[in-house]
Every structure is written in structure tokens, then in C-alpha cells.
Amino acid sequence: MNDLHNDAASLIGEAEGISRRDLLKAALGTGFAAAVLPVSAETVVKTDSDGLTAGTVNVTVDGYPVPVYRAQPAGKTGLPVILVISEIFGVHEHIADVARRFAKQGYLALAPNLFARQGDPQKEASIADLQKNIISKTPDIQVFKDLDAIVAWAGQNGGAADKLGITGFCWGGRITWLYAVHNPAVKAGVAWYGRLLGEATPNTPKHPVDVAAALKTPVLGLYGAKDTGIPLESVEKMKTELAKGKSGSTFVIYDNSGHAFHADYRPSYVEADAKDGWKRALDWFKQHGVA
């Protein structure tokens, strides 16, 4: 089936004069990263696009077209905006589905390919290769600049600039905390199991715990007690730093979950906690004016 899909895409590209690079961008929101295969197909949630405008748009940042998976109620304007920030695996089927879930709730949901300049995360054979070849080479400052441009694009394309929220998973959870500090226009954030501590590097000079006291935006952290990569000690350190500020941020810890409990395409998925977290996320955004 994949070979047929690839052959068809090649024929379309040749017929319309589309480059291979453009074809890859057009495929945003499809497939899964090689590093997480095989997919747990029996638990994958599939949200249709009925009543939605959904697909890839490009937002130019310093002359570079950043692909963004966009989903929104068809024909609507003045929509609250949600930035959906992916895990290290990029904007694959699950992330696009999450964007459609938000769109079904009335949001303009934007899931950008923030690794576009560094490579294609879906092709890396292992998580180690992905970290080495793409993630470690993606500067936070580049990510923030891309997101700033995407927010500006949203305001010019049906989004309400005063109703901006952000959510992210794993790598995207870390970015959620950081971008909420970077951009004061963000009214609320929901960080799913994003790393809180880390080594300072030229590309990642600060981590959430370093900026927590300065945070003014309320962020809801959804974390798993069994997450071996993000121990509860780091959550406690984050709470201590948050207490020095007045953001109103808080955590929900799921005792029965580890990392990636929302990822319905992986064995780590915990349906009950994922559904509870999703409801809490929607309530959090509504509570803080992102609706």
C-alpha cells in the first residue's frame, strides 16, 4: 500500500511540476515516524475532517517556508487559536489528529513542522538518531521565531489574536512552558509530560525550571508518576520555582501513567488518563479565555 501511495505521489508531482521537497511538505500530518514503529493500530484515534478546513499551509519565516498543519471549522473567522507542538517525531498522523480534535471544538489549530530546516524526523531509524541528527540541532530561538510568525499568520487568517493558547507533547511540552514565557500574548498553556530540567547548551540555553519564576501565563502540566525520564523530583523542583511567581500554573499527576500516555499510537497509551487530560485541557483553555 505504501509503495502505491508513493508511486501515486510521484506521478502527481511529475504531472504538476512539484518538487520532492514540496511533496514531503504536502504529506504533513500523515504516517508515523520510523523510530516508533510498529504502531499500536488498535488504539489509534481517528478524527475526521467533516466540517473542517484541514491541510498544510506554509508560513514564511526569514524566507523559509515553514509547513504547518492547519485545522479549523470551515468558513469561520474570529476563532480562538491553539498552537499544537509535536513530540520529537514531528507532525505525523497523531499530531494532525489532535489538531482536528481542537478544530471540532471550534479552534483554529496550528501544528507546525518546527524541524523542517534540520530534516525529516519521520525517517530517522531510532530515537537516538533522531535526537542526534535533528533535535539537538534545532535551536530554541529558531522555534520561538517560527511560532511568532505562525501566531502573526493566524491573526491574519481567521484567528483571534487575543485568544491564543499552546499545548505540546514531550518535546512540545517543554516548548509549551518556554514559549509561554517568551510570548506574553499566550493566555494559557497545557504541557503534556514535557522535560523540565536539562543541560544548558547553545541551542537549549534554558529549560522550564529556569524560567518558571518569571512565568505569568497559567500553564497546566499533565505528567505521569511512572515517567522514568521525568521523575517526580523534577516536578517538585518546578513547583518550587513556580511558587516564586504568580502564574497560577499547576500540575496533574497520573499515578498509573508513564511517559507519552496520550500517544494513542504507542504502547504507552493510557486511555483513561488521556481522556481525562484532554477534558482538563479543554476546561483549562476555556477557564483562561482561550475559547
Side-chain angles (χ1 to χ4, degrees):
M1 185 69 178
N2 287 338
D3 289 339
L4 288 173
H5 176 79
N6 292 338
D7 289 344
S10 296
L11 288 172
I12 293 170
E14 290 171 4
E16 299 182 1
I18 301 173
S19 70
R20 175 167 176 75
R21 181 173 168 186
D22 287 334
L23 280 171
L24 288 174
K25 288 180 182 177
L28 197 69
T30 63
F32 292 96
V36 296
L37 296 178
V39 166
S40 300
E42 66 278 4
T43 58
V44 170
V45 176
K46 293 187 179 296
T47 304
D48 62 52
S49 56
D50 294 348
L52 305 180
T53 298
T56 303
V57 298
N58 288 326
V59 176
T60 301
V61 186
D62 292 339
Y64 188 90
V66 177
V68 181
Y69 185 86
R70 178 268 307 267
Q72 68 176 82
K76 302 291 186 179
T77 59
L79 298 168
V81 179
I82 295 288
L83 301 173
V84 180
I85 314 301
S86 75
E87 320 117 317
I88 62 173
F89 309 116
V91 183
H92 52 78
E93 281 190 33
H94 174 64
I95 297 301
D97 198 276
V98 170
R100 291 193 296 273
R101 295 175 207 177
F102 275 113
K104 293 279 189 176
Q105 296 293 323
Y107 290 95
L108 166 56
L110 299 168
N113 180 3
L114 297 168
F115 309 123
R117 298 172 186 78
Q118 281 68 38
D120 184 353
Q122 291 186 229
K123 292 186 173 181
E124 297 294 331
S126 69
I127 290 177
D129 289 342
L130 183 49
Q131 291 280 11
K132 176 184 176 183
N133 298 330
I134 295 180
I135 307 307
S136 68
K137 296 178 180 178
T138 302
D140 287 346
I141 191 171
Q142 170 194 294
V143 171
F144 300 156
K145 195 169 189 178
D146 286 353
L147 291 176
D148 287 345
I150 290 161
V151 169
W153 180 93
Q156 299 166 2
N157 290 273
D162 61 340
K163 295 181 178 181
L164 174 63
I166 183 171
T167 192
F169 305 88
C170 184
W171 181 88
R174 172 183 174 273
I175 294 298
T176 294
W177 289 105
L178 294 176
Y179 191 69
V181 174
H182 168 82
N183 185 353
V186 176
K187 298 196 76 170
V190 178
W192 300 75
Y193 37 83
R195 186 160 53 98
L196 301 168
L197 310 176
E199 178 186 356
T201 72
N203 282 341
T204 58
K206 291 186 178 180
H207 295 281
V209 73
D210 302 316
V211 299
L215 181 65
K216 293 180 173 58
T217 299
V219 176
L220 172 64
L222 301 173
Y223 287 70
K226 298 179 180 179
D227 191 334
T228 57
I230 305 175
L232 291 181
E233 290 84 352
S234 68
V235 173
E236 291 305 316
K237 288 181 180 179
M238 186 68 176
K239 287 180 179 179
T240 297
E241 292 304 308
L242 286 169
K244 298 176 182 178
K246 297 181 179 179
S247 69
S249 298
T250 190
F251 284 87
V252 174
I253 307 298
Y254 292 98
D255 292 338
N256 296 321
S257 288
H259 195 69
F261 62 85
H262 186 269
D264 52 56
Y265 64 100
R266 299 178 68 183
S268 56
Y269 179 56
V270 180
E271 182 179 12
D273 292 349
K275 288 183 174 179
D276 182 78
W278 176 252
K279 182 181 183 301
R280 289 176 184 272
L282 293 177
D283 289 346
W284 187 259
F285 286 128
K286 289 177 182 177
Q287 177 186 346
H288 295 287
V290 189

